[in-house]
Short mmCIF file of all heavy atoms in Angstrom, two decimals:
data_model
loop_
_atom_site.label_atom_id
_atom_site.label_comp_id
_atom_site.label_asym_id
_atom_site.label_seq_id
_atom_site.Cartn_x
_atom_site.Cartn_y
_atom_site.Cartn_z
N VAL A 1 0.81 -1.22 -0.05
CA VAL A 1 0.02 -0.05 0.00
C VAL A 1 0.85 1.29 -0.04
O VAL A 1 0.31 2.32 -0.08
CB VAL A 1 -0.95 0.01 1.19
CG1 VAL A 1 -1.77 -1.23 1.21
CG2 VAL A 1 -0.18 0.31 2.49
N LYS A 2 2.15 1.12 0.19
CA LYS A 2 3.04 2.33 0.21
C LYS A 2 2.92 3.11 -1.05
O LYS A 2 2.88 2.57 -2.18
CB LYS A 2 4.47 1.82 0.50
CG LYS A 2 5.44 2.89 0.89
CD LYS A 2 6.70 2.39 1.28
CE LYS A 2 6.62 1.60 2.58
NZ LYS A 2 8.07 1.13 3.05
N GLY A 3 2.77 4.41 -0.82
CA GLY A 3 2.59 5.35 -1.98
C GLY A 3 1.17 5.51 -2.36
O GLY A 3 0.79 6.53 -3.23
N ARG A 4 0.18 4.64 -1.92
CA ARG A 4 -1.08 4.82 -2.26
C ARG A 4 -2.07 5.07 -1.10
O ARG A 4 -3.00 5.87 -1.11
CB ARG A 4 -1.67 3.49 -2.88
CG ARG A 4 -0.99 3.02 -4.13
CD ARG A 4 -1.69 1.77 -4.71
NE ARG A 4 -1.63 0.64 -3.95
CZ ARG A 4 -2.77 -0.02 -3.47
NH1 ARG A 4 -4.04 0.40 -3.82
NH2 ARG A 4 -2.76 -1.09 -2.67
N PHE A 5 -1.63 4.59 0.11
CA PHE A 5 -2.46 4.89 1.37
C PHE A 5 -1.67 5.81 2.27
O PHE A 5 -0.51 5.81 2.31
CB PHE A 5 -2.58 3.60 2.13
CG PHE A 5 -3.59 2.65 1.50
CD1 PHE A 5 -4.07 2.68 0.15
CD2 PHE A 5 -3.98 1.47 2.13
CE1 PHE A 5 -4.83 1.85 -0.39
CE2 PHE A 5 -4.86 0.50 1.66
CZ PHE A 5 -5.25 0.71 0.30
N THR A 6 -2.40 6.59 3.03
CA THR A 6 -1.73 7.51 3.98
C THR A 6 -2.44 7.47 5.32
O THR A 6 -3.76 7.65 5.42
CB THR A 6 -1.76 8.93 3.52
OG1 THR A 6 -1.15 9.12 2.21
CG2 THR A 6 -1.05 9.93 4.42
N ILE A 7 -1.79 7.22 6.47
CA ILE A 7 -2.32 7.29 7.67
C ILE A 7 -2.05 8.56 8.43
O ILE A 7 -1.07 9.02 8.28
CB ILE A 7 -1.85 6.12 8.63
CG1 ILE A 7 -2.63 5.95 9.87
CG2 ILE A 7 -0.36 6.19 8.88
CD1 ILE A 7 -2.32 4.63 10.69
N SER A 8 -3.09 9.03 9.15
CA SER A 8 -2.94 10.36 9.84
C SER A 8 -3.84 10.31 11.04
O SER A 8 -4.68 9.35 11.18
CB SER A 8 -3.38 11.53 8.95
OG SER A 8 -4.66 11.33 8.59
N LYS A 9 -3.66 11.39 11.95
CA LYS A 9 -4.53 11.41 13.12
C LYS A 9 -4.83 12.93 13.43
O LYS A 9 -4.10 13.80 13.14
CB LYS A 9 -3.79 10.82 14.23
CG LYS A 9 -2.56 11.39 14.75
CD LYS A 9 -1.78 10.54 15.85
CE LYS A 9 -2.69 10.16 16.91
NZ LYS A 9 -1.99 9.42 18.00
N ASP A 10 -5.96 13.02 14.03
CA ASP A 10 -6.50 14.35 14.45
C ASP A 10 -6.64 14.23 15.94
O ASP A 10 -7.65 13.56 16.41
CB ASP A 10 -7.80 14.68 13.80
CG ASP A 10 -8.41 16.02 14.20
OD1 ASP A 10 -8.15 16.59 15.19
OD2 ASP A 10 -8.97 16.70 13.22
N TYR A 11 -5.73 14.89 16.78
CA TYR A 11 -5.83 14.68 18.18
C TYR A 11 -7.08 15.37 18.72
O TYR A 11 -7.67 14.81 19.69
CB TYR A 11 -4.60 15.34 18.80
CG TYR A 11 -3.35 14.72 18.57
CD1 TYR A 11 -2.52 15.01 17.45
CD2 TYR A 11 -2.83 13.74 19.49
CE1 TYR A 11 -1.35 14.44 17.23
CE2 TYR A 11 -1.79 13.09 19.23
CZ TYR A 11 -0.88 13.39 18.15
OH TYR A 11 0.23 12.77 17.95
N ALA A 12 -7.54 16.39 18.23
CA ALA A 12 -8.71 17.17 18.73
C ALA A 12 -9.94 16.31 18.66
O ALA A 12 -10.83 16.36 19.47
CB ALA A 12 -8.94 18.43 18.09
N LYS A 13 -10.09 15.48 17.55
CA LYS A 13 -11.18 14.65 17.28
C LYS A 13 -10.90 13.10 17.86
O LYS A 13 -11.91 12.26 17.72
CB LYS A 13 -11.52 14.65 15.89
CG LYS A 13 -11.99 15.96 15.39
CD LYS A 13 -12.36 15.78 13.92
CE LYS A 13 -12.70 17.29 13.39
NZ LYS A 13 -13.13 17.10 11.91
N ASN A 14 -9.76 12.78 18.36
CA ASN A 14 -9.43 11.51 18.74
C ASN A 14 -9.67 10.56 17.71
O ASN A 14 -10.28 9.41 17.86
CB ASN A 14 -10.21 11.12 20.06
CG ASN A 14 -9.71 11.84 21.26
OD1 ASN A 14 -8.53 12.05 21.47
ND2 ASN A 14 -10.71 12.22 22.15
N THR A 15 -9.26 10.87 16.40
CA THR A 15 -9.71 10.02 15.26
C THR A 15 -8.35 9.76 14.48
O THR A 15 -7.60 10.69 14.28
CB THR A 15 -10.74 10.73 14.49
OG1 THR A 15 -11.89 10.92 15.26
CG2 THR A 15 -11.02 10.01 13.17
N VAL A 16 -8.24 8.56 14.00
CA VAL A 16 -7.19 8.22 13.06
C VAL A 16 -7.94 7.92 11.69
O VAL A 16 -8.94 7.36 11.59
CB VAL A 16 -6.51 6.98 13.54
CG1 VAL A 16 -5.48 6.51 12.49
CG2 VAL A 16 -5.71 7.31 14.83
N TYR A 17 -7.17 8.41 10.65
CA TYR A 17 -7.65 8.15 9.20
C TYR A 17 -6.77 7.36 8.52
O TYR A 17 -5.63 7.25 8.72
CB TYR A 17 -7.81 9.52 8.65
CG TYR A 17 -8.68 10.61 9.32
CD1 TYR A 17 -8.07 11.57 10.10
CD2 TYR A 17 -10.08 10.52 9.22
CE1 TYR A 17 -8.93 12.42 10.99
CE2 TYR A 17 -10.93 11.35 9.83
CZ TYR A 17 -10.32 12.38 10.74
OH TYR A 17 -11.07 13.26 11.39
N LEU A 18 -7.35 6.62 7.42
CA LEU A 18 -6.65 5.99 6.45
C LEU A 18 -7.22 6.38 5.08
O LEU A 18 -8.23 6.08 4.71
CB LEU A 18 -6.79 4.59 6.56
CG LEU A 18 -5.89 3.60 5.58
CD1 LEU A 18 -4.40 3.77 6.00
CD2 LEU A 18 -6.24 2.13 5.69
N GLN A 19 -6.38 7.26 4.40
CA GLN A 19 -6.69 7.67 3.08
C GLN A 19 -6.22 6.76 2.13
O GLN A 19 -5.04 6.43 2.05
CB GLN A 19 -6.10 9.09 2.82
CG GLN A 19 -6.36 9.66 1.45
CD GLN A 19 -7.89 10.00 1.07
OE1 GLN A 19 -8.45 10.55 1.99
NE2 GLN A 19 -8.39 9.60 -0.03
N MET A 20 -7.06 6.18 1.43
CA MET A 20 -6.78 5.08 0.30
C MET A 20 -7.03 5.63 -1.00
O MET A 20 -8.10 5.90 -1.42
CB MET A 20 -7.62 3.89 0.58
CG MET A 20 -7.49 3.42 1.97
SD MET A 20 -8.35 1.77 2.35
CE MET A 20 -9.91 2.24 2.07
N ASN A 21 -5.99 5.75 -1.80
CA ASN A 21 -6.08 6.17 -3.19
C ASN A 21 -5.62 5.02 -4.21
O ASN A 21 -5.07 4.10 -3.80
CB ASN A 21 -5.26 7.30 -3.38
CG ASN A 21 -5.55 8.50 -2.66
OD1 ASN A 21 -6.84 8.82 -2.24
ND2 ASN A 21 -4.59 9.30 -2.20
N SER A 22 -5.94 5.13 -5.41
CA SER A 22 -5.60 4.22 -6.47
C SER A 22 -5.96 2.83 -6.06
O SER A 22 -5.12 1.85 -6.16
CB SER A 22 -4.06 4.35 -6.80
OG SER A 22 -3.78 5.63 -7.18
N LEU A 23 -7.11 2.62 -5.60
CA LEU A 23 -7.53 1.32 -5.02
C LEU A 23 -7.60 0.34 -6.05
O LEU A 23 -7.88 0.46 -7.28
CB LEU A 23 -9.01 1.41 -4.40
CG LEU A 23 -8.86 2.14 -2.90
CD1 LEU A 23 -10.26 2.59 -2.59
CD2 LEU A 23 -8.48 1.20 -2.01
N LYS A 24 -7.16 -0.84 -5.62
CA LYS A 24 -7.11 -2.10 -6.52
C LYS A 24 -8.11 -3.15 -6.05
O LYS A 24 -8.40 -3.21 -4.74
CB LYS A 24 -5.85 -2.69 -6.54
CG LYS A 24 -4.68 -1.84 -7.07
CD LYS A 24 -3.35 -2.38 -6.69
CE LYS A 24 -2.27 -1.37 -7.20
NZ LYS A 24 -0.82 -1.96 -7.04
N PRO A 25 -8.57 -4.12 -6.79
CA PRO A 25 -9.44 -5.22 -6.37
C PRO A 25 -8.82 -5.98 -5.15
O PRO A 25 -9.59 -6.41 -4.35
CB PRO A 25 -9.72 -6.01 -7.51
CG PRO A 25 -9.53 -5.11 -8.73
CD PRO A 25 -8.52 -4.10 -8.27
N GLU A 26 -7.52 -6.17 -5.26
CA GLU A 26 -6.90 -6.82 -4.17
C GLU A 26 -6.84 -6.10 -2.75
O GLU A 26 -6.47 -6.76 -1.85
CB GLU A 26 -5.49 -7.15 -4.55
CG GLU A 26 -4.67 -6.23 -5.02
CD GLU A 26 -4.53 -5.97 -6.58
OE1 GLU A 26 -5.72 -6.19 -7.16
OE2 GLU A 26 -3.52 -5.83 -7.18
N ASP A 27 -7.33 -4.87 -2.82
CA ASP A 27 -7.39 -4.11 -1.53
C ASP A 27 -8.78 -4.47 -0.81
O ASP A 27 -9.07 -4.03 0.30
CB ASP A 27 -7.41 -2.60 -1.79
CG ASP A 27 -6.12 -2.20 -2.28
OD1 ASP A 27 -5.04 -2.68 -1.68
OD2 ASP A 27 -5.99 -1.30 -3.24
N THR A 28 -9.65 -5.30 -1.56
CA THR A 28 -10.91 -5.68 -0.85
C THR A 28 -10.64 -6.55 0.38
O THR A 28 -10.07 -7.45 0.31
CB THR A 28 -11.78 -6.48 -1.92
OG1 THR A 28 -12.08 -5.60 -3.13
CG2 THR A 28 -13.01 -6.93 -1.37
N ALA A 29 -11.28 -6.03 1.42
CA ALA A 29 -11.15 -6.76 2.74
C ALA A 29 -11.96 -5.98 3.78
O ALA A 29 -12.47 -4.82 3.52
CB ALA A 29 -9.80 -6.76 3.14
N VAL A 30 -12.04 -6.64 4.91
CA VAL A 30 -12.62 -5.91 6.05
C VAL A 30 -11.42 -5.18 6.75
O VAL A 30 -10.34 -5.86 7.01
CB VAL A 30 -13.28 -6.75 7.13
CG1 VAL A 30 -13.73 -6.05 8.44
CG2 VAL A 30 -14.45 -7.46 6.47
N TYR A 31 -11.45 -3.92 6.92
CA TYR A 31 -10.43 -3.11 7.56
C TYR A 31 -10.71 -2.85 8.99
O TYR A 31 -11.72 -2.36 9.42
CB TYR A 31 -10.25 -1.77 6.80
CG TYR A 31 -9.64 -1.93 5.53
CD1 TYR A 31 -10.17 -2.63 4.39
CD2 TYR A 31 -8.29 -1.42 5.33
CE1 TYR A 31 -9.46 -2.75 3.18
CE2 TYR A 31 -7.58 -1.66 4.04
CZ TYR A 31 -8.21 -2.32 3.03
OH TYR A 31 -7.69 -2.50 1.84
N TYR A 32 -9.59 -3.09 9.83
CA TYR A 32 -9.71 -2.84 11.23
C TYR A 32 -8.87 -1.88 11.74
O TYR A 32 -7.68 -1.92 11.33
CB TYR A 32 -9.48 -4.24 12.02
CG TYR A 32 -10.48 -5.34 11.55
CD1 TYR A 32 -10.09 -6.25 10.57
CD2 TYR A 32 -11.50 -5.59 12.43
CE1 TYR A 32 -11.01 -7.29 10.27
CE2 TYR A 32 -12.40 -6.61 12.13
CZ TYR A 32 -12.08 -7.43 11.11
OH TYR A 32 -13.05 -8.50 10.72
N CYS A 33 -9.23 -1.14 12.79
CA CYS A 33 -8.40 -0.24 13.46
C CYS A 33 -8.00 -0.79 14.74
O CYS A 33 -8.75 -1.57 15.44
CB CYS A 33 -9.24 1.08 13.82
SG CYS A 33 -8.46 2.38 14.72
N ALA A 34 -6.80 -0.69 15.16
CA ALA A 34 -6.23 -1.07 16.37
C ALA A 34 -5.48 -0.10 17.28
O ALA A 34 -4.85 0.83 16.54
CB ALA A 34 -5.29 -2.34 16.11
N ALA A 35 -5.37 -0.34 18.48
CA ALA A 35 -4.75 0.60 19.35
C ALA A 35 -3.79 -0.18 20.41
O ALA A 35 -4.29 -1.24 20.91
CB ALA A 35 -5.62 1.63 20.05
N GLN A 36 -2.75 0.46 20.79
CA GLN A 36 -1.89 -0.19 21.91
C GLN A 36 -1.37 1.01 22.64
O GLN A 36 -0.80 2.02 22.13
CB GLN A 36 -0.85 -1.00 21.28
CG GLN A 36 0.29 -1.42 22.22
CD GLN A 36 -0.43 -2.35 23.33
OE1 GLN A 36 -1.49 -2.97 23.11
NE2 GLN A 36 0.14 -2.41 24.51
N GLN A 37 -1.63 0.88 23.95
CA GLN A 37 -1.06 1.90 24.91
C GLN A 37 0.30 1.83 24.97
O GLN A 37 1.03 0.72 24.97
CB GLN A 37 -1.74 1.61 26.26
CG GLN A 37 -1.37 2.82 27.23
CD GLN A 37 -2.27 2.77 28.56
OE1 GLN A 37 -3.05 1.79 28.79
NE2 GLN A 37 -2.07 3.71 29.49
N VAL A 38 1.06 3.04 24.84
CA VAL A 38 2.48 3.11 24.80
C VAL A 38 2.94 4.15 25.96
O VAL A 38 2.13 5.00 26.45
CB VAL A 38 2.97 3.45 23.50
CG1 VAL A 38 2.68 2.48 22.42
CG2 VAL A 38 2.36 4.79 23.02
N SER A 39 4.27 4.00 26.25
CA SER A 39 4.88 4.83 27.24
C SER A 39 5.49 6.14 26.66
O SER A 39 5.84 7.06 27.30
CB SER A 39 5.83 4.17 28.11
OG SER A 39 6.87 3.61 27.25
N GLY A 40 5.72 6.20 25.39
CA GLY A 40 6.33 7.29 24.72
C GLY A 40 5.73 7.54 23.44
O GLY A 40 4.86 6.86 22.89
N GLY A 41 6.18 8.74 22.82
CA GLY A 41 5.52 9.16 21.56
C GLY A 41 5.97 8.42 20.30
O GLY A 41 5.40 8.56 19.28
N GLY A 42 7.11 7.68 20.32
CA GLY A 42 7.65 7.29 19.05
C GLY A 42 7.23 5.75 18.68
O GLY A 42 7.63 5.33 17.64
N TRP A 43 6.62 5.10 19.54
CA TRP A 43 6.39 3.56 19.39
C TRP A 43 5.33 3.58 18.15
O TRP A 43 4.25 4.16 18.20
CB TRP A 43 5.87 2.96 20.67
CG TRP A 43 6.90 2.86 21.72
CD1 TRP A 43 6.99 3.66 22.76
CD2 TRP A 43 7.80 1.80 21.80
NE1 TRP A 43 8.08 3.17 23.56
CE2 TRP A 43 8.58 2.09 22.86
CE3 TRP A 43 8.12 0.66 21.00
CZ2 TRP A 43 9.63 1.16 23.29
CZ3 TRP A 43 9.25 -0.16 21.30
CH2 TRP A 43 9.96 0.11 22.51
N LEU A 44 5.50 2.53 17.39
CA LEU A 44 4.55 2.14 16.37
C LEU A 44 4.74 0.71 16.08
O LEU A 44 5.97 0.25 16.17
CB LEU A 44 4.57 2.89 15.22
CG LEU A 44 5.70 2.88 14.12
CD1 LEU A 44 5.20 3.36 12.82
CD2 LEU A 44 6.96 3.56 14.61
N PHE A 45 3.75 -0.14 15.82
CA PHE A 45 3.89 -1.50 15.65
C PHE A 45 3.15 -2.07 14.31
O PHE A 45 2.05 -1.55 13.86
CB PHE A 45 3.12 -2.12 16.75
CG PHE A 45 3.51 -1.73 18.12
CD1 PHE A 45 2.71 -0.77 18.87
CD2 PHE A 45 4.70 -2.10 18.68
CE1 PHE A 45 3.10 -0.31 20.06
CE2 PHE A 45 5.03 -1.58 19.92
CZ PHE A 45 4.32 -0.72 20.67
N SER A 46 3.79 -2.90 13.81
CA SER A 46 3.28 -3.61 12.46
C SER A 46 2.76 -5.03 12.79
O SER A 46 2.08 -5.67 11.88
CB SER A 46 4.25 -3.58 11.27
OG SER A 46 5.37 -4.42 11.66
#
């Protein structure tokens, strides 16, 4: 999805977005949002 999708967040709205462009049939799926509590600002998980 690199180069086609963009993840972003709006702190004021407590909302995370996934902008999906140039969609392909193989992108068809159920999409899930996930969260993990962290102790610092730089952690991210795949």
Side-chain angles (χ1 to χ4, degrees):
V1 307
K2 194 170 292 186
R4 300 188 297 123
F5 291 11
T6 303
I7 188 170
S8 61
K9 63 189 306 183
D10 184 328
Y11 289 94
K13 296 182 178 179
N14 290 322
T15 300
V16 174
Y17 302 99
L18 185 68
Q19 178 66 44
M20 306 186 296
N21 299 328
S22 302
L23 282 161
K24 304 174 182 180
E26 51 263 44
D27 294 318
T28 295
V30 178
Y31 283 71
Y32 296 91
C33 176
Q36 174 59 26
Q37 191 169 358
V38 294
S39 58
W43 290 99
L44 70 165
F45 309 100
S46 60

